């Protein structure tokens, strides 16, 4: 343990981060360094061979835990080793979306500058060289690659020690199959020039496979994952850090996909063992689910799964196909080689205290119910004619019914004209925006009753621009100071906007409201001025809700100080969205339980047979259909109508 703690020569201690998080950051950095630099080089035992081709690690700490600082600590350690060895070259490639690029650019308020100012390096000469390395992102504009064409010039003039910052969008076009992908030669992407590759918000490549399960909404483009494979194929010796607080959203295959990036060229290494283990665990668990209604003894199957998860992954394999044992040094007391242990060999994850989230159910009047049902059925008729997906329009309906207007614009055929006329009649009957006004009234109540303290900005998340437009107008009429952060605010202007809000928060003793669209779900910090979150509309994906909350729940903001509200129209599609989110959250928590699976299985196995069955049925309730079910959409009112 002492060796792990003393692996790093530098110590990242940002003052704005609570001490508990600092310790976890240090431990994560040390573990990641050990996995990428020590495991593959161990020679004292054949059991270490499964780590030989391991390129990197997935850092999957929850939102706001400082994954940027953890990655920078690892890079700094590697850079200091290069200086000690008098090596000439040290280059880092960071792949980050344009929306979050600013935190990797060198300026006085960026994460890079904050990290450097808080890094303890006693050797003045080394510290100055580290500053030059980090600041190369600013001092050399060519090191920020914003388009595919920029790679040609960069390849000719690449500094010996530098950090290059780009995005998936700016990576060149590829050729070849996914894992064998290469960049087209005309772009002259640097070959074998980088020592480290960092992929921030790496879940962008999570859906590089075509979904075939019942949650599918069509084939998802795999261009992002192909590009990342092309980067890895062009840098055969580079180490890899994948950063993602939400390593999978909808399906455990997404987690397997991310992990596979850590070593995609070998079939018998630790990555392939973890991937195969996840597949077989998932298959056996589904078999238990399917057998619950039968008379066979599912308890024995559950015991087998528990043993494979917590002690011996070999229980998932046939005798002729047994995975090699993990090194004795890595086996915990009382455990051997469980799937959880193998997962921790490639993925590091720290969790935070859960937020206390309040779901505010809003009652509908009889007229509101009728308005909802009429608009809902008008949407459903289009699906019955096989013309388009309806989920988005149903989400618009419970966010801001006026947002549906574009869906009913007049087309050439008479059927669409008829539908548009019906839509207008329904809207006129309901006095326009009736469902939206119910949510608005609840939001206004929250704003008026918010406590003035040190952080007086209420952060309101909303998916649809039409609803944000309306909210901005209505909240301003109510006398609130309002800002909005959506796609119309350029990336370069977003920091100025947040600075303006922070200044207002410090000077004014009045509640303000920040309206945020989906562009603000990742990479931005609202914790300096806000500790209240309102989800004006929900999302099927719990990872989206987690990322939203993470804009406020980070660094100095503690769980007990943060208030989170979900506005839900009772007996409408709003509840269906919330139901799907909660079910997917169970799935995510189950697979990323950080050894809680042992406790969970143990509790079930200790129950009486009948209770065991009920508990297991509840646990296995992960079959989710994204399309609406009428039983979730006000069935009694439907009969009355």
């Amino acid at each position: 343990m002492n060796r792990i703690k003393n692996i790093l020569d530098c110590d990242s201690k940002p003052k704005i981060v609570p001490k508990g998080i600092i310790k976890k950051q240090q431990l994560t950095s040390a573990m990641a360094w050990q996995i990428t630099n020590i495991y593959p080089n161990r020679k004292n035992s054949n059991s270490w061979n499964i780590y030989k081709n391991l390129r990197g690690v997935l850092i999957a700490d929850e939102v706001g835990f400082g994954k940027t600082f953890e990655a920078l600590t690892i890079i700094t350690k590697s850079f200091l080793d290069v200086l000690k060895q008098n090596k000439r070259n040290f280059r880092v490639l960071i792949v980050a979306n344009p929306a979050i690029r600013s935190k990797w650019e060198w300026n006085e308020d960026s994460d890079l500058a904050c990290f450097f100012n808080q890094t303890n390096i006693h050797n003045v000469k080394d510290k100055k060289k580290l500053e030059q390395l980090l600041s190369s992102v600013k001092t050399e504009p060519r090191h920020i690659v914003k388009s595919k064409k920029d790679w040609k010039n960069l390849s000719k003039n690449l500094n010996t020690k530098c950090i290059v910052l780009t995005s998936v969008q700016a990576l060149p076009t590829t050729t070849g199959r996914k894992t064998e992908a290469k960049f087209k030669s005309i772009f002259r992407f640097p070959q074998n020039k980088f020592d480290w590759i960092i992929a921030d918000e790496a879940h962008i490549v999570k859906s590089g496979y075509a979904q075939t399960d019942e949650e599918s909404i069509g084939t998802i483009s795999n261009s992002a994952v192909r590009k990342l494979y092309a980067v890895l194929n062009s840098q055969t010796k580079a180490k890899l850090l994948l950063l993602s607080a939400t390593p999978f959203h909808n399906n455990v295959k997404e987690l397997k996909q991310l992990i596979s990036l850590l070593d995609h060229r070998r079939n018998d290494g630790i990555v392939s063992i973890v991937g195969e283990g996840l597949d077989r665990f998932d298959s056996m668990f589904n078999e238990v689910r399917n057998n619950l209604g039968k008379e066979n003894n599912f308890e024995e199957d559950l015991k087998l799964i528990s043993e494979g998860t917590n002690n011996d992954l070999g229980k998932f394999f046939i005798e002729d196909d047994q995975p090699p044992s993990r090194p004795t040094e890595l086996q915990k007391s009382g455990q051997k080689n469980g799937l959880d242990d193998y997962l921790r060999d490639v993925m590091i994850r720290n969790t935070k205290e859960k937020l206390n989230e309040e779901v505010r159910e809003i009652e509908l009047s009889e007229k509101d119910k009728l308005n909802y049902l009429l608009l809902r059925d008008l949407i459903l008729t289009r699906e019955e004619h096989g013309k388009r997906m309806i989920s988005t329009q149903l989400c618009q309906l419970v966010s801001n019914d006026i947002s549906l207007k574009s869906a009913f614009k007049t087309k050439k055929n008479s059927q669409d004209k008829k539908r548009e006329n019906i839509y207008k009649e329904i809207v006129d009957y309901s006095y326009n925006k009736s469902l939206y006004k119910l949510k608005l009234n609840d939001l206004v109540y929250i704003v008026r009753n918010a406590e003035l303290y040190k952080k007086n900005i209420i952060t309101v998340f909303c998916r649809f621009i039409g609803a944000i437009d309306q909210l901005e107008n209505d909240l301003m009429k109510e006398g609130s100071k309002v800002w909005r952060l959506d796609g119309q605010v350029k990336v370069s202007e977003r920091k100025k906007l947040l600075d303006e809000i922070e200044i207002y928060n410090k000077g004014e003793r009045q509640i303000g409201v920040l309206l945020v669209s989906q562009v603000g779900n990742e990479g931005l910090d609202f914790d300096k001025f806000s500790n209240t979150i309102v989800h004006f509309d929900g999302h099927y994906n719990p990872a989206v809700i987690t990322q939203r909350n993470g804009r406020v729940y980070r660094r100095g903001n503690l769980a007990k100080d943060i208030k989170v509200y979900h506005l839900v129209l009772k007996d409408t599609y709003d509840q269906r969205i919330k139901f799907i989110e909660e079910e997917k959250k169970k799935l995510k928590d189950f697979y990323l339980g950080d050894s809680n699976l042992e406790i969970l299985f143990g509790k079930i196995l200790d129950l009486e047979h009948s209770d065991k069955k009920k508990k297991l049925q509840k646990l296995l309730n992960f079959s989710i259909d994204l399309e609406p079910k009428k039983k979730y959409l006000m069935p009694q009112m439907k009969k009355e109508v």
Side-chain angles (χ1 to χ4, degrees):
M1 193 66 181
N2 288 332
R3 179 172 184 176
I4 293 177
K5 289 181 178 178
N6 294 324
I7 274 178
L8 302 180
D9 293 333
C10 61
D11 187 11
S12 168
K13 295 184 178 181
K15 295 177 182 177
I16 55 176
V17 181
K19 292 182 179 178
I21 293 182
I22 294 173
K23 290 181 180 179
K24 288 186 176 182
Q25 284 181 344
Q26 292 171 340
L27 185 58
T28 295
S29 302
M31 290 172 64
W33 178 264
Q34 182 165 277
I35 290 169
T36 53
N37 292 276
I38 296 179
Y39 287 6
N41 296 318
R42 292 293 294 268
K43 300 178 181 179
N44 63 332
S45 170
N46 290 333
S47 56
W48 286 96
N49 287 333
I50 58 175
Y51 299 92
K52 292 301 181 188
N53 283 11
L54 187 64
R55 299 190 65 165
V57 65
L58 168 60
I59 298 179
D61 284 355
E62 288 190 345
V63 180
F65 245 130
K67 291 180 291 298
T68 305
F69 284 94
E70 292 165 356
L72 289 172
T73 302
I74 296 163
I75 295 305
T76 297
K77 164 62 179 169
S78 184
F79 179 65
L80 294 176
D81 286 350
V82 165
L83 295 180
K84 288 179 183 177
Q85 298 166 20
N86 292 318
K87 291 183 179 179
R88 184 166 181 263
N89 296 324
F90 183 82
R91 302 184 183 99
V92 179
L93 175 65
I94 299 173
V95 182
N97 278 341
I100 60 174
R101 185 190 291 149
S102 59
K103 73 177 183 179
W104 292 103
E105 296 176 8
W106 178 273
N107 58 65
E108 61 180 47
D109 296 323
S110 70
D111 284 2
L112 255 70
C114 180
F115 170 82
F116 174 77
N117 292 332
Q118 302 299 330
T119 298
N120 181 22
I121 298 178
H122 299 295
N123 188 316
V124 176
K125 186 177 180 181
D126 286 352
K127 185 154 187 172
K128 189 171 183 179
K129 289 185 177 180
L130 174 63
E131 181 181 19
Q132 291 173 345
L133 174 76
L134 298 177
S135 63
S136 66
V137 178
K138 177 183 177 182
T139 56
E140 297 286 347
R142 68 176 181 274
H143 290 156
I144 302 178
V145 181
K146 297 181 180 179
S147 74
K148 298 175 178 63
K149 296 179 181 179
D150 293 342
W151 291 105
K152 290 183 180 180
N153 293 329
L154 181 68
S155 298
K156 297 176 183 177
N157 305 296
L158 197 59
N159 288 9
T160 57
K161 295 180 175 65
C162 65
I163 294 176
V164 175
L165 179 57
T166 189
S167 64
V168 170
Q169 296 90 325
L171 289 172
T173 310
T174 62
T175 60
R177 295 175 63 86
K178 185 171 66 177
T179 56
E180 304 299 325
K182 295 181 180 180
F183 293 123
K184 290 184 177 179
S185 58
I186 59 171
F187 295 102
R188 299 177 188 173
F189 189 84
Q191 298 292 309
N192 291 315
K193 297 293 186 181
F194 296 104
D195 298 271
W196 284 89
I197 300 165
I198 299 175
D200 199 1
E201 303 293 359
H203 51 262
I204 189 174
V205 302
K206 69 177 175 58
S207 297
Y209 66 95
Q211 291 179 321
T212 57
D213 61 339
E214 60 187 7
E215 296 177 4
S216 176
I217 312 183
T219 302
I220 300 174
S221 170
N222 64 358
S223 59
V225 73
R226 267 206 317 271
K227 286 185 175 183
L228 200 48
Y229 276 124
V231 171
L232 296 176
N233 291 331
S234 69
Q235 315 298 320
T236 55
K237 295 183 180 180
K239 302 286 178 62
L240 175 65
L241 294 176
L242 300 175
L243 313 184
S244 175
T246 52
F248 81 98
H249 295 180
N250 303 306
N251 192 299
V252 73
K253 291 178 183 177
E254 297 169 357
L255 175 60
K256 181 186 173 185
Q257 163 104 345
L258 267 184
I259 291 173
S260 70
L261 290 165
L262 301 174
D263 176 12
H264 65 284
R265 294 169 299 169
R266 186 177 175 185
N267 295 322
D268 59 349
I270 183 69
V271 170
S272 61
I273 292 171
V274 172
E276 187 68 19
L278 283 170
D279 278 347
R280 300 198 182 194
F281 172 85
D282 196 38
S283 176
M284 292 176 72
F285 221 61
N286 286 331
E287 189 174 335
V288 171
R289 174 196 292 148
N290 295 333
N291 290 333
L292 271 179
K294 302 174 183 178
E295 293 301 319
N296 66 324
N297 189 358
F298 70 87
E299 295 177 44
E300 292 302 318
D301 292 335
L302 188 60
K303 286 179 182 177
L304 181 65
I305 294 173
S306 179
E307 181 67 15
T309 303
N310 301 305
N311 288 306
D312 185 6
L313 182 61
K315 297 292 183 181
F316 295 162
F317 293 76
I318 58 176
E319 290 186 6
D320 297 335
D321 192 24
Q322 290 287 306
S325 297
R326 295 168 66 247
T328 305
E329 298 92 323
L330 296 181
Q331 295 176 18
K332 296 168 64 177
S333 176
Q335 292 186 325
K336 296 180 181 179
N337 303 291
L339 177 60
D340 271 5
D341 300 299
Y342 279 94
L343 268 172
R344 279 188 289 271
D345 288 340
V346 296
M347 178 176 70
I348 300 169
R349 182 169 175 80
N350 291 312
T351 58
K352 298 192 291 187
E353 182 183 353
K354 299 299 181 185
L355 288 168
N356 183 22
E357 303 184 38
E358 178 184 342
V359 178
R360 297 175 64 89
E361 291 189 344
I362 303 169
E363 296 278 355
L364 275 66
S365 69
E366 293 303 308
K367 187 171 182 179
D368 292 328
K369 289 178 182 179
L370 180 58
N371 174 44
Y372 167 75
L373 286 169
L374 291 171
L375 287 173
R376 184 205 74 185
D377 284 357
L378 188 61
I379 294 169
L380 291 174
T381 56
R382 174 164 287 194
E383 175 65 9
E384 289 165 5
H385 285 85
K387 294 191 176 179
R388 64 185 304 169
M389 187 78 61
I390 59 174
S391 298
T392 299
Q393 289 170 13
L394 287 169
C395 291
Q396 287 175 318
L397 173 59
V398 293
S399 174
N400 179 11
D401 30 338
I402 201 65
S403 296
L404 282 171
K405 187 174 182 180
S406 60
F408 295 107
K409 286 184 178 179
T410 305
K411 306 293 182 182
K412 291 182 180 179
N413 61 64
S414 59
Q415 186 69 29
D416 279 331
K417 288 182 179 179
K418 183 178 179 181
R419 283 163 46 78
E420 184 186 26
N421 291 333
I422 295 172
Y423 168 76
K424 289 178 178 177
E425 288 181 18
I426 296 171
V427 171
D428 291 341
Y429 165 79
S430 62
Y431 302 111
N432 210 340
K433 305 183 291 296
S434 67
L435 300 177
Y436 157 79
K437 286 181 179 178
L438 292 172
K439 282 191 172 182
L440 172 66
N441 292 339
D442 208 47
L443 174 59
V444 170
Y445 175 84
I446 292 171
V447 173
R448 287 177 177 173
N449 290 275
E451 296 179 3
L452 286 169
Y453 191 53
K454 293 181 180 178
K455 298 176 181 178
N456 302 316
I457 308 301
I458 295 177
T459 303
V460 180
F461 288 97
C462 186
R463 290 176 63 184
F464 302 105
I465 296 300
I468 289 180
D469 290 339
Q470 197 67 48
L471 280 170
E472 183 180 28
N473 292 332
D474 291 337
L475 289 171
M476 288 176 67
K477 288 178 183 177
E478 291 287 334
S480 298
K481 175 68 175 176
V482 181
W483 300 265
R484 59 186 292 167
L485 178 57
D486 55 29
Q488 297 176 9
V489 181
K490 295 180 180 179
V491 174
S492 59
E493 299 295 320
R494 289 173 190 174
K495 185 181 180 303
K496 293 179 182 178
L497 175 65
L498 298 183
D499 288 343
E500 176 190 328
I501 298 172
E502 186 179 351
I503 292 171
Y504 174 90
N505 178 68
K506 289 179 179 179
E508 293 289 335
R509 295 295 89 192
Q510 181 182 351
I511 297 295
V513 178
L514 171 62
L515 301 174
V516 187
S517 73
Q518 294 190 98
V519 301
N521 288 355
E522 296 178 351
L524 297 171
D525 302 336
F526 307 154
D527 55 295
K528 291 182 180 180
F529 52 75
S530 180
N531 59 8
T532 303
I533 303 164
V534 178
H535 298 281
F536 191 80
D537 48 29
H539 202 286
Y540 303 115
N541 195 334
V544 171
I545 301 299
T546 299
Q547 289 283 5
R548 284 179 175 184
N549 291 341
R551 301 310 101 216
V552 172
Y553 186 21
R554 59 198 306 109
R555 299 187 290 195
N557 271 4
L558 304 179
K560 63 181 180 180
D561 300 325
I562 297 175
K563 295 178 180 177
V564 183
Y565 302 104
H566 296 262
L567 307 187
V568 175
L569 297 172
K570 191 175 180 181
D571 296 324
T572 71
Y573 197 65
D574 248 354
Q575 287 191 319
R576 176 65 178 156
I577 297 169
K578 192 63 183 170
F579 166 79
I580 294 173
E581 182 220 327
E582 292 294 335
E583 289 302 297
K584 287 188 176 182
K585 190 182 294 182
K586 291 179 189 175
L587 177 66
K588 178 183 73 69
D589 291 345
F590 182 74
Y591 279 99
L592 299 179
D594 300 304
S595 77
N596 288 336
L597 284 179
E598 182 178 12
I599 299 171
L600 191 128
F601 281 132
K603 285 182 178 179
I604 294 176
L605 290 170
D606 288 340
L607 295 171
E608 294 294 328
H609 182 81
S610 59
D611 293 333
K612 194 177 296 183
K613 200 166 186 176
K614 290 178 183 177
K615 182 74 173 177
L616 191 59
Q617 283 176 325
K618 185 175 181 181
L619 173 70
L620 295 176
N621 188 20
F622 294 146
S623 181
I624 304 165
D625 182 5
L626 291 184
E627 288 310 304
K629 291 288 187 292
K630 291 192 176 182
K631 63 181 180 180
Y632 295 102
L633 303 176
M634 219 180 281
Q636 295 303 317
M637 191 62 196
K638 173 72 175 177
K639 290 179 181 178
E640 293 175 20
V641 172

